[in-house]
Amino acid sequence: QQQQNYGNSSFMSRVEESKPNAYSGGAMAPVHTGNAPILHPIKDLNPYHNRWTIRARVTQKSAIKSWNKPNSQGRLFSVNLLDDSGEIRATAFTQQVDRLFPMLEAGKVYYISNAQVKMARTQFSTLNNQYELTFDDSTVVEQCVETTGVPQEQFNFIPLANLMNHEKNSIIDVLCVVRDIGDLTEITPRNGPADRKMIKRELTVVDRSGYQVRLTLWGQEATEFSLPKDSIVAFKGVRVGDFGGRTLSLPSIGAMTANPDISEAHMLRGWYDSTGRDSAYQAYDGVAGGAGSGAAVRQDQLKTMAQVRDENLGGSDQPDYFTVKGTVVFIRSTSLAYPACASPDCNKKAIEDSMTGQWRCEKCERSFAAPDYRYIFSVNVSDETGHNWMQCFNDIGEKLLGCPASEMVRLQQTDDVAFTQKINEATFQEMVFRCRAKSETFNENTRVRISIMNMNPVDYVAESRRLNKLIESFSI
């Protein structure tokens, strides 16, 4: 990059004249007049070059946030800045919040100079840039009327079918159709105080790759979400999760744009209206359903028990996820559940105190009169090619046995006939299972453990269609 000489720039002269009292609190950004300054690309910003001017669009602007720690307190807000070379995050702290917050508006283009360039704190940014900006007293912001050549937004869309190629906690962009919209729910964070609540809303989204995934919105994004079903949304900076295979969530540093005016969105809309609306989708979490359903699964992706064995699923360092159709032929019922902590969102095992009769959770450091039993047991699932032992956890146990674990423990202790009937009713049911296979080592012995992540009754209409297509593929 050729070094630029800013000494005679009329813009840089005004920079010197405007420090730091040129702006009163709450003032809008002045409009730049005169000749355009010599510009520096965002991608070339670094801590060793401090005389620069960028022309950038504000693509995202956060709310003002406060912090209060024993040794400091203050406020901040941040913006994402974009030019044709790249993106960078910029943050204003305490004294600069009142001055700069009203100046910077999302979607507008500005000339910006005299900000500190620092190493990026990746926990607070989703942008592909090793540096970030910090606004200070000398930072100058002027609105730019000429916006030619400044892009509206920059995305790097990942097809939903490729989510398994991205590790847990990876940050990606996706362009998808909102297939289903869940209700607002309130949860207590696992590691937070008991009185702290979080609001979330779960969406089911799909794209042209034929996959669907659960995407979670949090806080204000969840409460203010008002788009109708079948809307096209570009999500920037969503976090990849591995619960049930793959999930997505939109962190506070991410953003979403409804019906963006980009070619990819127009192509997705055309495909969805003509074909995708009535298509079936492969679900990472194993939810099953027919064509046209928000929870549809492409049944042609089913594995057989023989394929699970022959393909050595779960035999590598990374877990494998797959779907099978099979019948529960045996439930290991000698030990169905364990006594868990009764605190919300804590699943740790509780230990009974023989002296007091209380149940103690060492993690929460609390005692309870009775534990909250949770399922953990194994079932044998069989199809026409073989069988496998699979592990069931609490949600799957409740779905399979039809009652909470505490009720099954009570029946096991007091009513053997009713307990046996529950077990018998749960066996010889044909289901579609979404599974996770992973190698585990215990006492120097390694084996593959298969866990059931989700299960649903077989959709026999969809299954008949799948088998019919399979038969047609064998035509001579």
Side-chain angles (χ1 to χ4, degrees):
Q1 177 69 29
Q2 182 178 357
Q3 291 291 327
Q4 305 289 350
N5 182 4
Y6 294 92
N8 297 322
S9 168
S10 61
F11 178 74
M12 292 307 298
S13 299
R14 288 196 304 279
V15 169
E16 297 300 323
E17 296 169 358
S18 61
K19 296 182 192 177
N21 298 319
Y23 299 102
S24 59
M28 302 297 290
V31 177
H32 174 78
T33 57
N35 296 329
I38 300 174
L39 300 179
H40 199 90
I42 283 179
K43 70 178 180 63
D44 291 336
L45 293 176
N46 63 76
Y48 311 105
H49 184 194
N50 56 17
R51 292 186 64 81
W52 49 260
T53 301
I54 61 172
R55 183 181 67 155
R57 187 184 303 276
V58 176
T59 58
Q60 182 184 345
K61 178 182 176 182
S62 76
I64 297 175
K65 302 176 183 179
S66 301
W67 80 88
N68 192 351
K69 298 180 180 180
N71 58 349
S72 67
Q73 61 182 8
R75 297 177 301 153
L76 64 86
F77 80 95
S78 62
V79 291
N80 289 350
L81 303 173
L82 171 71
D83 70 6
D84 58 358
S85 72
E87 296 177 278
I88 195 166
R89 182 174 184 264
T91 304
F93 292 93
T94 310
Q95 294 91 342
Q96 303 308 318
V97 170
D98 291 334
R99 179 170 77 91
L100 296 177
F101 189 82
M103 287 189 181
L104 296 165
E105 299 181 35
K108 291 188 175 181
V109 177
Y110 299 88
Y111 291 118
I112 300 174
S113 65
N114 284 22
Q116 301 177 43
V117 183
K118 300 180 177 180
M119 294 300 298
R121 295 166 296 173
T122 55
Q123 68 269 35
F124 299 121
S125 177
T126 63
L127 304 184
N128 183 25
N129 197 322
Q130 63 177 323
Y131 299 116
E132 64 183 17
L133 301 180
T134 298
F135 295 142
D136 58 24
D137 289 344
S138 64
T139 299
V140 173
V141 176
E142 284 190 321
Q143 187 173 341
C144 174
V145 177
E146 176 54 54
T147 63
T148 304
V150 184
Q152 294 287 334
E153 184 61 282
Q154 188 176 73
F155 296 101
N156 181 22
F157 293 125
I158 301 298
L160 297 183
N162 294 350
L163 293 184
M164 294 303 294
N165 298 333
H166 296 268
E167 298 292 332
K168 178 183 178 181
N169 292 326
S170 297
I171 299 296
I172 63 171
D173 303 339
V174 294
L175 178 68
C176 45
V177 182
V178 178
R179 187 80 169 202
D180 189 50
I181 303 170
D183 295 329
L184 283 176
T185 57
E186 188 177 82
I187 65 170
T188 301
R190 180 182 298 274
N191 298 320
D195 59 347
R196 183 190 173 197
K197 303 296 182 183
M198 295 181 66
I199 303 297
K200 73 172 185 176
R201 186 193 300 274
E202 293 186 347
L203 311 177
T204 300
V205 297
V206 302
D207 71 0
R208 295 185 65 179
S209 68
Y211 271 71
Q212 71 174 38
V213 69
R214 186 173 74 251
L215 191 153
T216 303
L217 307 178
W218 299 94
Q220 185 177 356
E221 297 285 6
T223 56
E224 296 182 356
F225 186 85
S226 58
L227 295 175
K229 291 182 181 180
D230 301 331
S231 296
I232 306 293
V233 182
F235 291 94
K236 185 175 182 62
V238 291
R239 192 180 305 278
V240 177
D242 64 354
F243 181 77
R246 280 296 182 267
T247 57
L248 298 173
S249 65
L250 183 68
S252 59
I253 56 176
M256 61 179 173
T257 303
N259 302 308
D261 187 15
I262 55 178
S263 59
E264 296 95 329
H266 299 319
M267 293 174 61
L268 180 60
R269 168 56 67 195
W271 167 82
Y272 186 75
D273 289 344
S274 62
T275 304
R277 193 183 303 271
D278 298 320
S279 296
Y281 297 89
Q282 174 71 38
Y284 280 105
D285 58 5
V287 179
S293 164
V297 173
R298 288 204 316 232
Q299 298 269 342
D300 59 341
Q301 299 295 318
L302 290 172
K303 298 283 188 184
T304 65
M305 293 297 182
Q307 288 174 318
V308 172
R309 180 186 64 249
D310 295 342
E311 295 174 15
N312 192 30
L313 296 184
S316 62
D317 293 337
Q318 297 297 319
D320 289 315
Y321 296 87
F322 59 91
T323 304
V324 295
K325 176 172 66 74
T327 301
V328 177
V329 295
F330 185 79
I331 298 174
R332 189 168 286 160
S333 58
T334 52
S335 178
L336 283 175
Y338 70 96
C341 174
S343 296
D345 300 311
C346 180
N347 301 332
K348 295 295 184 181
K349 185 175 182 179
I351 306 298
E352 185 177 18
D353 188 330
S354 58
M355 301 294 293
T356 64
Q358 295 280 304
W359 292 82
R360 173 80 175 172
C361 174
E362 295 300 332
K363 177 179 180 291
C364 298
E365 297 183 348
R366 297 177 60 186
S367 296
F368 306 91
D372 180 19
Y373 283 94
R374 296 181 63 83
Y375 285 116
I376 179 169
F377 60 92
S378 297
V379 297
N380 193 278
V381 178
S382 176
D383 69 2
E384 65 277 9
T385 68
H387 64 90
N388 265 309
W389 283 99
M390 301 181 180
Q391 191 169 47
C392 300
F393 294 100
N394 196 62
D395 292 346
I396 300 302
E398 289 182 353
K399 185 178 288 190
L400 180 62
L401 295 171
C403 66
S406 297
E407 175 65 12
M408 284 298 289
V409 171
R410 185 190 68 80
L411 292 178
Q412 191 173 27
Q413 295 172 348
T414 62
D415 192 338
D416 188 63
V417 173
F419 175 81
T420 303
Q421 182 178 351
K422 282 281 189 184
I423 297 295
N424 290 340
E425 288 173 352
T427 53
F428 297 103
Q429 295 188 49
E430 189 174 37
M431 310 285 286
V432 176
F433 300 91
R434 182 63 177 169
C435 303
R436 175 181 185 267
K438 189 176 188 304
S439 294
E440 296 184 355
T441 301
F442 183 74
N443 287 339
E444 299 183 354
N445 293 320
T446 300
R447 63 169 182 159
V448 174
R449 183 186 297 275
I450 300 176
S451 301
I452 299 174
M453 312 304 295
N454 208 335
M455 69 177 199
N456 279 280
V458 176
D459 181 341
Y460 286 104
V461 174
E463 176 65 2
S464 298
R465 292 172 180 162
R466 183 187 75 88
L467 293 174
N468 186 53
K469 289 182 180 179
L470 186 62
I471 292 171
E472 291 176 350
S473 69
F474 293 144
S475 60
I476 301 175

